[in-house]
Amino acid sequence: MEKTINITLKVWRQAGPKAKGGFETYQLDNISTDSSFLEMLDVLNEKLVSERKEPVVFDHDCREGICGMCSLYINGHPHGPDSAITTCQLHMRKFKNGDTITVEPWRSNAFPVIKDLMVDRRAYDKIMQAGGFVSVNTGGVPDANAIPIPKKDADEAMDAASCIGCGACAAACKNGSAMLFVAAKVSQLALLPQGKVEAARRVKAMLGKMDELGFGNCTNTGACAAECPKSVSLSNIARLNREYICAKFKD
Amino acid sequence: MWLFNSSVGRKFVMSITGASLVLFLLFHASMNLVAIISPEGYEWICEMLGANWYALVGTAGLGFLVFVHIVYAFILSIQNYRARGTERYAVVERQDGVEWASKNMLALGLIIVLGLCMHLAHFWAKMQLVEILGEEPASGMELIRMTFSKWYWAALYMVWLGALWFHLTHGVWSALHSLGLNNNIWMPRIKCLSNIVATLVVLMFASVVVYYFCMGCCA
Ligand code: HEM
Ligand code: SF4
Ligand code: FES
């Protein structure tokens, strides 16, 4: 049986990167608890369009938790109050009738607001471009089992690789630090023999880029891992520190 | 220089200085325990350290560590505040498993600095400093008895130690983590170690305060 709820939305509206933003309050009635959070925002936008008002701009793409676009800070949590899911996987059954829901964009110096709830997350792409890859000569494809890899390492690399680059870690962090993201991207390669070859160069380049882009210094609060939709582990940050410190001592 | 220009480098300095200070505190606290076990022994320790060259070198080293730790603490905190951006979140909820201390290290540190000033004025200025100036140092035991028999000093010392406890419950494991000495298996272990070290240090210091406060009440 379908259940519906009435909610009040407080949404951050900002005309452009330099414009002064502020909260707008909207009343939405008869929202199905089976709908997703983004579907609820679609309903809001249809309503706004029908009233000839400007719809709320928010990022989204896959709507199934794999692209990392849906960067919304809901009721004090990146990706909402539920754990280990993205905003697009959040459902309205997590809210109660009469709730007021506050929706804000990621707030971090390195993620400037483009419009309303949409932020520029290209800083993460720049970090990847600085070294988050393995240089290979594309020749014949080697057999997948030609290089034996311990199961434990493969699993840990896989867990790190589950990071979707959504930016929730930096958004959650009181220090605006991107360490969990960089740690995941450094770890996914540093744990594997193919990635070890360039590990030192990679960690220096990626961390250097991260610092240059104005992210903060990690103080190990752990807010990032608590909010990460993919449950990337905090100990990846220890690996990042280790890789970086060792690389610097070798220089 | 990476110890200054990179975030991990700055954290490296923070953790090395912090961890060295923890080691010093363990050493300092075990000396204090002697004041309960044997007041004569304590006087002997005070005399032996006094203003000898090794005590002076130690003091200078300590001063350097504290100085670097505090300067870096401010640099890191300012950079982190800026990195958060100009616009702040309207709603901030706490996350599971995020320690309160980890978010308030600077505030706790400031309480520690204030306590440190009080402590230096009470003891160091009357013991090592006067000895450096060529005068006769005060008796360590006398100073302990005098200071802690006053309830307000005893209370302030306890507040100070409380702040230190919070600082260290996060600080110890955080320092190891910053140095890269952590993984999924060791995470709960070093967090436990952190609580043990913090509690041990604070208990050792606090026991002297409480013991001499009670002695002062009985006398
Ligand atoms: C007895 C004195 C002190 C000891 C034993 C101590 C110990 C530590 C340790 C072990 C850490 C962890 C380092 C890391 O996370 O890598 C730390 C962090 C910190 N300390 Fe202290 N500390 C002391 C005094 C102070 C003072 C006086 C201040 C400031 C005014 C201060 C401010 C901080 C701050 C802000 C951090 C967090 C830095 C970060 O994680 O980036 N501490 N301390
Ligand atoms: S580590 Fe987690 S929170 Fe950070 S970008 Fe990756 S998936 Fe998002
Ligand atoms: S829209 Fe792709 S992860 Fe949410």
Side-chain angles (χ1 to χ4, degrees):
Chain A
M1 198 189 71
E2 200 190 43
K3 198 179 148 219
T4 63
I5 55 174
N6 303 335
I7 52 170
T8 310
L9 278 178
K10 276 178 72 184
V11 181
W12 183 262
R13 304 299 309 257
Q14 184 173 337
K18 294 270 177 317
K20 172 124 190 66
F23 284 102
E24 287 279 346
T25 308
Y26 305 102
Q27 183 67 41
L28 277 185
D29 292 340
N30 299 322
I31 294 294
S32 163
T33 51
D34 288 340
S35 65
S36 76
F37 195 85
L38 295 186
E39 282 166 345
M40 181 273 293
L41 287 181
D42 293 337
V43 171
L44 170 69
N45 276 347
E46 272 174 27
K47 187 173 159 218
L48 289 177
V49 169
S50 73
E51 291 167 3
R52 317 202 108 258
K53 287 188 192 139
E54 205 177 329
V56 177
V57 175
F58 62 93
D59 253 338
H60 60 101
D61 188 16
C62 72
R63 297 207 176 195
E64 55 179 12
I66 51 175
C67 75
M69 289 296 282
C70 48
S71 45
L72 298 183
Y73 190 89
I74 305 158
N75 280 352
H77 292 283
H79 296 301
D82 211 350
S83 58
I85 55 159
T86 54
T87 299
C88 57
Q89 293 169 307
L90 177 67
H91 281 78
M92 292 313 291
R93 55 177 164 270
K94 276 280 153 194
F95 301 93
K96 287 198 282 295
N97 194 26
D99 273 1
T100 299
I101 305 170
T102 310
V103 194
E104 302 174 68
W106 283 179
R107 296 205 194 279
S108 164
N109 204 23
F111 293 152
V113 171
I114 297 173
K115 194 172 161 63
D116 295 344
L117 300 172
M118 183 191 268
V119 298
D120 181 354
R121 290 182 296 112
R122 271 178 300 178
Y124 273 14
D125 299 337
K126 288 180 195 150
I127 296 174
M128 288 307 278
Q129 283 156 6
F133 47 79
V134 197
S135 319
V136 281
N137 290 321
T138 45
V141 181
D143 184 76
N145 291 323
I147 309 170
I149 297 168
K151 171 96 170 94
K152 190 176 140 286
D153 293 352
D155 283 351
E156 251 184 286
M158 250 341 239
D159 286 345
S162 67
C163 164
I164 53 176
C166 65
C169 37
C173 177
K174 114 181 213 298
N175 308 313
S177 164
M179 284 289 269
L180 193 64
F181 166 74
V182 179
K185 295 305 179 191
V186 161
S187 293
Q188 69 186 12
L189 296 175
L191 280 161
L192 302 176
Q194 296 92 328
K196 280 212 176 85
V197 186
E198 295 170 294
R201 185 192 56 74
R202 179 182 310 114
V203 72
K204 281 184 284 183
M206 291 180 78
L207 200 99
K209 189 49 107 182
M210 177 191 102
D211 290 339
E212 180 196 315
L213 291 167
F215 289 103
N217 308 277
C218 172
T219 65
N220 306 326
T221 68
C224 50
E227 297 289 9
C228 172
K230 298 295 160 188
S231 306
V232 170
S233 152
L234 201 62
S235 52
N236 285 302
I237 296 183
R239 182 177 300 105
L240 170 62
N241 291 332
R242 191 158 66 234
E243 293 275 333
Y244 187 82
I245 293 169
C246 289
K248 280 296 177 183
F249 272 114
K250 282 208 190 93
D251 283 353
Chain B
M1 180 61 178
W2 69 282
L3 291 178
F4 191 79
N5 293 334
S6 74
S7 56
V8 174
R10 288 187 288 264
K11 285 306 311 267
F12 182 78
V13 172
M14 210 54 200
S15 50
I16 293 287
T17 53
S20 314
L21 289 174
V22 173
L23 292 182
F24 162 73
L25 287 185
L26 280 168
F27 167 68
H28 186 326
S30 27
M31 283 195 316
N32 287 13
L33 274 190
V34 178
I36 299 185
I37 302 163
S38 145
E40 298 78 41
Y42 186 72
E43 292 288 15
W44 179 78
I45 292 175
C46 294
E47 213 171 300
M48 187 193 66
L49 288 173
N52 286 323
W53 68 268
Y54 43 86
L56 288 180
V57 169
T59 309
L62 264 181
F64 177 73
L65 287 177
V66 172
F67 176 76
V68 172
H69 192 79
I70 294 178
V71 169
Y72 267 68
F74 277 98
I75 295 173
L76 287 167
S77 301
I78 293 169
Q79 286 180 337
N80 293 348
Y81 186 80
R82 289 220 188 103
R84 206 71 204 78
T86 40
E87 203 75 57
R88 302 270 136 179
Y89 288 118
V91 185
V92 184
E93 282 255 322
R94 67 173 299 281
Q95 294 96 353
D96 289 339
V98 175
E99 311 147 59
W100 174 83
S102 71
K103 294 185 155 194
N104 294 285
M105 289 298 270
L106 186 68
L108 291 168
L110 288 176
I111 301 179
I112 298 179
V113 173
L114 290 180
L116 195 62
C117 295
M118 166 178 82
H119 177 60
L120 291 181
H122 276 157
F123 291 88
W124 180 75
K126 295 177 186 153
M127 295 169 73
Q128 197 182 55
L129 185 64
V130 286
E131 198 170 332
I132 295 171
L133 297 176
E135 290 163 38
E136 189 59 26
S139 145
M141 278 319 298
E142 273 313 303
L143 286 178
I144 290 181
R145 290 203 182 93
M146 228 167 59
T147 312
F148 299 137
S149 60
K150 306 273 190 308
W151 68 267
Y152 44 89
W153 289 132
L156 278 181
Y157 271 83
M158 294 309 275
V159 172
W160 181 35
L161 290 173
L164 183 67
W165 185 82
F166 277 109
H167 200 82
L168 293 190
T169 50
H170 177 68
V172 173
W173 84 261
S174 175
L176 293 172
H177 191 87
S178 299
L179 293 173
L181 306 173
N182 198 3
N183 59 30
N184 281 332
I185 297 167
W186 277 86
M187 183 81 80
R189 296 183 190 166
I190 65 169
K191 282 192 174 172
C192 176
L193 176 79
S194 203
N195 288 334
I196 293 174
V197 172
T199 310
L200 188 69
V201 166
V202 169
L203 270 187
M204 285 204 279
F205 281 121
S207 58
V208 177
V209 179
V210 173
Y211 182 81
Y212 281 97
F213 175 68
C214 294
M215 293 290 272
C217 290
C218 300

